[in-house]
Amino acid sequence: MKRLTPLLLVAALAACGAQPAQEAAATSLTWAIETQPITLNPQLWAQNKVRLLVFNQFDALISKAEDGTFRPWLAKSWKVSDDGLTYTLDLRDDVTFHDGTKFDAAAVKANLDQFKAPGYNPAVAAIQLKALDKAEVAGPYTLKITLKEPDGLFLDFLSSPYAGQVSPKSLKSAKDLKFGGIDLVGTGPFILDRYVQGQEIHYRRNPAYNWPPAGAAHQGPAHLSEITYRFLPEAAVRVGALTSGQVQVIEGVPATEVGLIKKDPSLALQTSLNSGTAYSYYFNTSHTPFDDQRVREAFREAVDVDVVLKSVYQGTATRAWSIVGEKSPFYDATLEGGYGGDVAKANALLDAAGWKERDAEGFRVKDGKRLTVREVASAPFVRDRRDILAQAIQAQVKQSAGIDFQVKIVDQGSAQKALEENQYELFGNSRGDSDAGAALNLILPAKGAINRTRFADPQVDKWLATASATSDQAERKELYAKAQKAAVVENAIVFPLYVPADQIAAQKTVQGLGFDPASGTPASAYDVRIRT
């Protein structure tokens, strides 16, 4: 076996300059966030914006650095067999769940076995854990994991919120396992003790915490004694709460408010691009009109993305050119400048596709039917003024090409129903996976869990499968570049718009704020402190 990580956690922390545990002061913080969680169960995590909440309450087995390397967390070290089929984890022996039960190899096995429960998280079971064969307790703090086939993404899974460790006792007794909440117990630096739907979520410090991931700025319990996250979806309300002193931190700062934040000498602003995929429109190729590639290309050409982004985000958004975001090491920069914004080409393509006539409102028609494109968006996933972005694109495609782009923002159930019944033509999405390959496996394969294009290409499936099976980063980059070209250029099934970013604005007395090195989303509150 080859040993990937011989470091002990304590040594790793020391190497990263972490400071010894100090006596924790009694301090509280109020933080306004944009998105209310659909679930607080880390193993069912779906919203990138909720990542900061997950890692307050739960710890993963390993952590991932910005350069893509993996570091110890609840697992002190790990070995991978030469054939890539066996992972042996050496776990910490000093960790306790919030309910007092011991964290050990049996607990990790119970968490992995939970994904095998019918209906628990079928998407993860089918994609991220498709290679998992079994987990075996090889000792009180040693776990042996066997895969059916090599999986170059398995370590990424172990570092993700999906690998957030939950007390086996609470997995069995939680009143609402799907949502999680107060009675789903982790090992994290904070304990969830109050959740009021539509209003707030409250955590108190875990006084026993002494096992942060490598790279944390300190050891021991969190600096804050308690933290309250208020759900304020309206951007102006969040900013107003910060400037008036009702909250000390906000995330999700709209471009329209950046100037106000920067002008206030008592406030500080930080921003970071997210990992994973760009926010893109995915064209449903299974029926009219996007079953015709000419119409897919025409929609993209009808939009001047630079103009739209400048209008909506006032120069703060990063244009996307690929399904993969530019922060990813797998981003293919050769796609830049290859399409979009050619109105004459858009109209020529639509004429060639038979959409030549216009109705009284100026929309194109064919065989008596209007050229209509529907997007049904789930409200909990609408962030970054994406509703305003859609309105700007709606106006452009109507004016420049006569396309009727209709946008509905509905509840999660209604959105899911529309997707299942194939009652949409366009699907907007970004993924916050720390490894873009994991996102591509969900989006592009014929049987991908969120393949909303309904497009199938056996060659792309083969490339993705080969990339997933290897840990050779150069080979993976080459294969993912081919998949990106197939999706964006050769088949035009995706329309990349912008690379998602997160912003944090805070009173300057709040220190230790930052972003998760792997995802680019706001980090947990573990290192946050208030300067007095």
Side-chain angles (χ1 to χ4, degrees):
M1 284 188 165
K2 52 188 177 184
R3 193 174 187 82
L4 292 186
T5 306
L7 300 175
L8 292 177
L9 182 57
V10 173
L13 286 169
C16 294
Q19 300 300 310
Q22 300 176 352
E23 183 177 350
T27 53
S28 61
L29 183 77
T30 303
W31 183 330
I33 60 176
E34 180 178 12
T35 305
Q36 182 169 316
I38 293 174
T39 176
L40 290 167
N41 181 334
Q43 296 165 0
L44 302 178
W45 164 75
Q47 299 155 287
N48 208 30
K49 284 271 191 177
V50 181
R51 196 180 185 108
L52 78 164
L53 303 178
V54 169
F55 283 139
N56 277 340
Q57 189 180 2
F58 302 94
D59 297 318
L61 292 167
I62 60 178
S63 65
K64 189 173 185 179
E66 191 168 9
D67 64 1
T69 59
F70 295 97
R71 299 174 175 177
W73 198 347
L74 294 183
K76 295 188 296 184
S77 62
W78 53 92
K79 299 176 183 177
V80 182
S81 61
D82 292 336
D83 62 7
L85 296 178
T86 304
Y87 289 67
T88 304
L89 307 184
D90 181 20
L91 306 172
R92 292 189 66 125
D93 60 6
D94 59 347
V95 178
T96 305
F97 288 101
H98 299 157
D99 60 8
T101 59
K102 193 72 174 175
F103 167 80
D104 56 15
V108 180
K109 173 179 167 53
N111 276 263
L112 286 171
D113 288 347
Q114 180 65 37
F115 285 99
K116 296 181 179 180
Y120 182 63
N121 193 334
V124 169
I127 303 296
Q128 286 93 337
L129 290 179
K130 63 181 175 60
L132 178 64
D133 182 14
K134 59 184 176 180
E136 302 172 280
V137 175
Y141 299 98
T142 304
L143 188 75
K144 179 181 177 183
I145 301 172
T146 305
L147 304 183
K148 303 171 188 174
E149 59 188 18
D151 185 354
L153 290 169
F154 190 65
L155 287 176
D156 186 75
F157 168 82
L158 296 181
S159 71
S160 74
Y162 295 126
Q165 293 301 290
V166 180
S167 162
K169 179 180 178 181
S170 70
L171 280 175
K172 295 179 180 179
S173 63
K175 296 177 182 177
D176 187 351
L177 182 59
K178 184 176 181 180
F179 177 73
I182 295 174
D183 55 349
L184 199 66
V185 174
T187 63
F190 292 93
I191 299 169
L192 172 61
D193 61 8
R194 184 173 74 247
Y195 175 79
V196 182
Q197 185 174 5
Q199 297 183 35
E200 66 181 30
I201 185 169
H202 181 269
Y203 297 89
R204 57 183 170 84
R205 179 168 52 208
N206 175 7
Y209 194 77
N210 196 30
W211 43 86
H218 78 288
Q219 298 181 52
H223 297 298
L224 299 172
S225 58
E226 60 178 337
I227 181 167
T228 302
Y229 294 92
R230 293 179 58 192
F231 307 134
L232 298 179
E234 295 295 330
V237 174
R238 285 196 306 280
V239 173
L242 176 65
T243 56
S244 66
Q246 297 177 57
V247 304
Q248 294 139 296
V249 184
I250 65 172
E251 62 84 24
V253 181
T256 53
E257 308 293 340
V258 167
L260 178 64
I261 299 294
K262 288 183 175 180
K263 288 179 182 178
D264 192 323
S266 68
L267 301 178
L269 176 70
Q270 302 178 55
T271 186
S272 173
L273 291 179
N274 293 170
S275 62
T277 63
Y279 179 68
S280 306
Y281 282 167
Y282 294 88
F283 300 129
N284 182 353
T285 65
S286 69
H287 60 244
T288 303
F290 290 140
D291 57 343
D292 188 328
Q293 182 165 334
R294 292 170 296 185
V295 181
R296 303 197 293 270
E297 292 180 0
F299 190 99
R300 297 195 312 191
E301 295 299 337
V303 181
D304 188 326
V305 176
D306 291 325
V307 169
V308 168
L309 294 182
K310 184 177 181 180
S311 171
V312 176
Y313 301 109
Q314 300 184 10
T316 64
T318 299
R319 179 171 182 172
W321 289 99
S322 175
I323 184 174
V324 174
E326 71 172 52
K327 186 176 181 179
S328 170
F330 304 126
Y331 173 64
D332 182 6
T334 67
L335 299 179
E336 294 178 4
Y339 59 89
D342 188 334
V343 173
K345 182 178 180 180
N347 284 285
L349 285 166
L350 292 176
D351 286 344
W355 295 92
K356 296 181 179 180
E357 299 178 8
R358 303 262 184 160
D359 63 17
E361 295 181 59
F363 293 113
R364 288 178 177 264
V365 294
K366 178 181 178 181
D367 299 330
K369 294 183 179 180
R370 179 181 285 184
L371 178 49
T372 300
V373 174
R374 298 168 295 172
E375 180 193 14
V376 182
S378 173
F381 290 91
V382 175
R383 53 172 283 196
D384 300 347
R385 291 167 58 86
R386 290 175 180 175
D387 51 342
I388 308 301
L389 175 63
Q391 291 172 18
I393 293 174
Q394 181 184 57
Q396 272 209 355
V397 297
K398 176 184 179 181
Q399 180 178 0
S400 61
I403 299 172
D404 182 17
F405 180 27
Q406 301 177 0
V407 183
K408 289 185 179 180
I409 298 176
V410 297
D411 61 87
Q412 173 67 2
S414 298
Q416 188 61 37
K417 184 173 184 290
L419 293 173
E420 292 173 352
E421 295 181 353
N422 202 17
Q423 296 298 311
Y424 69 100
E425 284 73 47
L426 185 149
F427 176 72
N429 178 261
S430 65
R431 292 282 307 179
D433 304 84
S434 57
D435 190 306
L440 295 181
N441 285 344
L442 291 165
I443 296 167
L444 294 182
K447 296 183 179 179
I450 53 172
N451 179 346
R452 305 305 188 195
T453 66
R454 298 176 180 250
F455 185 85
D457 184 336
Q459 184 62 68
V460 170
D461 290 5
K462 183 178 179 180
W463 289 332
L464 294 177
T466 303
S468 295
T470 180
S471 57
D472 185 322
Q473 295 299 86
E475 182 182 4
R476 293 182 70 206
K477 183 170 184 175
E478 181 181 350
L479 291 166
Y480 290 143
K482 292 180 179 179
Q484 290 170 72
K485 284 185 173 70
V488 178
V489 178
E490 296 163 10
N491 297 296
I493 60 173
V494 60
F495 182 14
L497 292 169
Y498 74 94
V499 183
D502 271 295
Q503 311 83 25
I504 303 173
Q507 296 177 4
K508 288 184 177 178
T509 53
V510 181
Q511 304 291 305
L513 292 164
F515 299 92
D516 184 291
S519 67
T521 56
S524 77
Y526 173 66
D527 283 326
V528 177
R529 61 193 182 279
I530 299 176
R531 186 185 68 211
T532 56

